[in-house]
């Protein structure tokens, strides 16, 4: 009987001791994540985005996708990257040239899209010859030359089936009179190219000289077909609050016409 009492007292004492070590109902050892999102800490792309002070300048999704490709492709010129955001209208400054080493935005300017990609917005994209449409994705800059549009920069499309016909199609960066604030004031949008990202005449040469010879260019459009086809962009986007989020469609003039062919 005494043995039974001792065993019972031992069980009770053990239970009390274990209970005192357990967290109280009001204590939480694992942070509660609301709305099925996940907090991401110590994200290097987010840290770079913050250090460049881009929050009010470049959409996070465009920057995050550009840096995914940058990290995979390891370009010759690692200091410079150019991002073009075709979710914005041609009346907006939607080309960004970044110095990742100095952590500076070097250029922020208007840029034209292909004549068959859309009017004010670029919503249709193609890799086909004669399409006169812009192509999405990652490019590497090559050398310069003097052509029919003056000082120009060759681009090599790095994504098979998406933009790898850029060189045969003569998709280059060049200056154009139709890419100007005067044209925007007169027509409500920029003029359009045959598929080239055309720049204002006054910025063409300094931008080309900054990005030539081995830097990356990423043309972004939040395009579902591109995201399904590319091998460069796979991870979900992380917003500026370090939260894992699903990509949301960007409103454009006619979202149903946003295609990649």
């Amino acid at each position: 009987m005494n043995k039974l009492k001792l065993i019972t007292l031992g069980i009770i004492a053990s239970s009390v001791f274990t209970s005192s070590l357990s967290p109280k109902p009001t204590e939480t050892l694992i942070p509660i994540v609301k709305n099925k999102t996940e907090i991401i800490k110590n994200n290097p792309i987010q840290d770079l985005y913050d250090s460049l002070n881009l929050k009010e300048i470049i959409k996070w999704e465009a920057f995050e996708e550009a840096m995914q490709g940058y990290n995979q492709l390891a370009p010759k010129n690692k200091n410079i990257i150019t991002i073009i955001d075709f979710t914005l209208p041609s009346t907006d400054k939607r080309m960004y040239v970044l110095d990742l080493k100095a952590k500076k935005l070097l250029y922020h300017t208007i840029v034209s899209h292909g004549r068959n990609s859309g009017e004010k917005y670029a919503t249709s994209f193609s890799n086909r010859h004669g399409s006169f449409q812009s192509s999405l994705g990652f490019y590497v800059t090559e050398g310069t030359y003097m052509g029919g549009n003056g000082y120009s920069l060759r681009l090599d499309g790095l994504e098979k089936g998406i933009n790898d016909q850029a060189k045969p199609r003569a998709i280059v960066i060049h200056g154009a009179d139709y890419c100007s604030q005067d044209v925007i004031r007169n027509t409500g949008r920029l003029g359009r190219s045959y598929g080239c990202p055309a720049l204002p005449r006054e910025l063409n040469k300094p931008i080309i000289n900054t990005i030539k010879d081995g830097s990356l260019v990423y043309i972004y459009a939040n395009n579902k077909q591109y995201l399904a086809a590319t091998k460069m962009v796979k991870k979900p986007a992380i917003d500026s609050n370090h939260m894992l989020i699903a990509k949301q469609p960007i409103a454009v003039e006619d979202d149903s016409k946003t295609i990649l062919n």
Side-chain angles (χ1 to χ4, degrees):
M1 191 67 178
N2 289 337
K3 223 180 250 190
L4 182 60
K5 284 182 180 179
L6 286 172
I7 290 170
T8 302
L9 288 172
I11 291 171
I12 293 171
S14 175
S15 175
V16 170
F17 181 72
T18 303
S19 177
S20 68
L21 294 179
S22 300
K24 297 177 183 178
T26 56
E27 294 175 344
T28 306
L29 297 182
I30 302 173
I32 296 173
V33 180
K34 298 179 180 179
N35 301 323
K36 297 183 180 179
T37 57
E38 182 182 352
I39 298 174
I40 307 296
K41 296 181 180 179
N42 302 319
N43 181 275
I45 297 178
Q46 177 71 59
D47 293 341
L48 182 60
Y49 183 78
D50 293 340
S51 67
L52 284 159
N53 297 311
L54 298 177
K55 188 174 181 181
E56 304 300 325
I57 301 171
I58 303 179
K59 289 177 183 174
W60 161 251
E61 292 84 359
F63 181 79
E64 196 262 352
E65 289 181 13
M67 293 312 300
Q68 283 189 45
Y70 172 91
N71 289 333
Q72 291 186 62
L73 293 165
K76 174 184 171 184
N77 184 344
K78 293 180 170 60
N79 295 337
I80 304 295
I81 189 168
T82 302
I83 300 172
I84 296 173
D85 183 355
F86 277 160
T87 65
L88 299 174
S90 64
T91 51
D92 285 8
K93 294 181 178 181
R94 54 186 182 169
M95 180 177 186
Y96 314 85
V97 180
L98 302 169
D99 187 327
L100 301 178
K101 184 177 180 181
K103 293 185 171 55
K104 289 173 65 176
L105 175 65
L106 301 179
Y107 295 98
H108 183 196
T109 184
I110 52 178
V111 61
S112 292
H113 57 257
R115 62 187 295 180
N116 288 339
S117 280
E119 295 285 332
K120 189 174 180 179
Y121 287 85
T123 57
S124 299
F125 308 96
S126 179
N127 194 37
R128 290 185 293 105
H129 291 255
S131 67
F132 297 154
Q133 294 181 349
S134 300
S135 299
L136 300 178
F138 290 90
Y139 300 76
V140 64
T141 63
E142 296 189 338
T144 63
Y145 69 98
M146 290 297 297
N149 291 301
Y151 193 56
S152 304
L153 175 64
R154 292 185 176 88
L155 298 174
D156 188 14
L158 300 177
E159 300 196 65
K160 187 174 181 180
I162 296 173
N163 62 19
D164 61 334
Q165 294 303 302
K167 286 178 76 173
R169 291 176 63 204
I171 301 301
V172 301
I173 293 178
H174 63 78
D177 294 333
Y178 55 75
C179 184
S180 71
Q181 292 296 338
D182 286 340
V183 172
I184 291 174
R185 281 190 288 271
N186 291 332
T187 67
R189 61 166 173 79
L190 285 184
R192 295 158 300 160
S193 68
Y194 287 168
C196 300
L199 298 175
R201 292 282 188 194
E202 67 275 12
L203 290 176
N204 183 55
K205 188 172 183 178
I207 287 179
I208 285 177
N209 285 341
T210 299
I211 70 176
K212 65 181 181 179
D213 298 331
S215 73
L216 284 184
V217 175
Y218 178 53
I219 301 181
Y220 165 82
N222 193 36
N223 180 274
K224 291 179 181 178
Q225 287 77 15
Y226 169 74
L227 292 172
T230 182
K231 296 179 181 178
M232 295 294 103
V233 178
K234 291 299 179 186
K235 298 177 182 177
I238 305 165
D239 73 7
S240 56
N241 293 318
H242 303 277
M243 306 295 283
L244 194 67
I245 60 173
K247 293 182 183 296
Q248 299 296 323
I250 303 296
V252 295
E253 287 178 317
D254 187 353
D255 190 55
S256 65
K257 294 181 180 178
T258 302
I259 60 173
L260 179 68
N261 56 34

